């Protein structure tokens, strides 16, 4: 059934034998196109943001600005399809890649890998370093390198 499949998916990206990979965390019952959600991941202090783009693409990032660690916000009204924006010094990041598009941030935003289960729920299942692809991050976590 669906729950069995869900458990399999989540376990696959979950805490490894070394205990270092962040455990999956359910962050929303659903996320509709045009919606965003602030959450904490991987730790209870770690600000993160999830966005469902208008075309359905689901993206997740650390919401800690790489400049001086202010909170990065989703601004749907900026850019052509919205952007991740830091109000402290007007830093901006591409919503689809996390790369810097404006302002002083020296690096893009680290990604938070998200998975959507059959019931529509959204789970955070891993993180990457800044500039690293989600795929590479998950492989590193899973020990597949
Ligand atoms: Fe984000 Fe300076 S802290 S732009």
């Amino acid at each position: 059934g669906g729950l069995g499949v869900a458990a399999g998916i989540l376990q696959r990206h979950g805490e490894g034998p070394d205990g270092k990979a962040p455990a999956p965390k359910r962050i929303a019952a659903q996320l509709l196109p045009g919606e965003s959600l602030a959450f904490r991941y991987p730790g209870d202090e770690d600000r993160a943001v999830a966005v469902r783009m208008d075309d359905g693409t689901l993206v997740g990032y650390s919401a800690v600005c790489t400049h001086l660690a202010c909170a990065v916000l989703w601004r749907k009204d900026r850019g052509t399809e919205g952007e991740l924006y830091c109000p402290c010094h007007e830093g901006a990041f591409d919503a689809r890649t996390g790369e810097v598009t404006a302002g002083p941030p020296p690096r893009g935003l680290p990604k938070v890998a998200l998975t959507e289960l059959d019931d529509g729920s959204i789970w955070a299942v891993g993180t990457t370093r800044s500039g690293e692809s989600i795929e590479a991050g998950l492989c590193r976590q899973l020990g597949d390198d």
Side-chain angles (χ1 to χ4, degrees):
L3 281 181
V5 172
I9 292 169
L10 295 173
Q11 189 173 15
R12 182 166 172 268
H13 297 297
E15 198 162 358
D18 60 2
K20 285 196 182 130
K25 179 178 176 181
R26 184 179 188 273
I27 62 166
Q30 65 174 6
L31 202 59
L32 298 176
E35 288 185 346
S36 71
L37 176 76
F39 62 103
R40 303 286 174 132
Y41 189 81
D44 291 341
E45 306 292 319
D46 300 320
R47 290 190 304 264
V49 60
V51 179
R52 174 81 80 180
M53 312 287 290
D54 282 337
D55 71 358
T57 304
L58 187 62
V59 293
Y61 298 98
S62 162
V64 180
C65 184
T66 57
H67 182 217
L68 296 175
C70 285
V72 171
L73 313 164
W74 171 244
R75 289 281 304 267
K76 195 175 186 331
D77 58 319
R78 293 179 61 95
T80 52
E81 55 176 1
E83 69 183 8
L84 296 152
Y85 176 72
C86 178
C88 286
H89 313 99
E90 303 197 339
F93 305 86
D94 185 289
R96 290 188 184 272
T97 64
E99 293 305 314
V100 180
T101 55
R107 290 178 305 284
L109 296 171
K111 294 179 182 175
V112 173
L114 302 175
T115 290
E116 180 175 17
L117 299 188
D118 287 348
D119 66 0
S121 63
I122 310 293
W123 293 68
V125 296
T127 58
T128 68
R129 297 190 197 96
S130 179
E132 189 178 53
S133 76
I134 289 283
E135 291 74 21
L138 286 175
C139 287
R140 179 165 52 77
Q141 283 187 10
L142 295 169
D144 292 345
D145 288 344

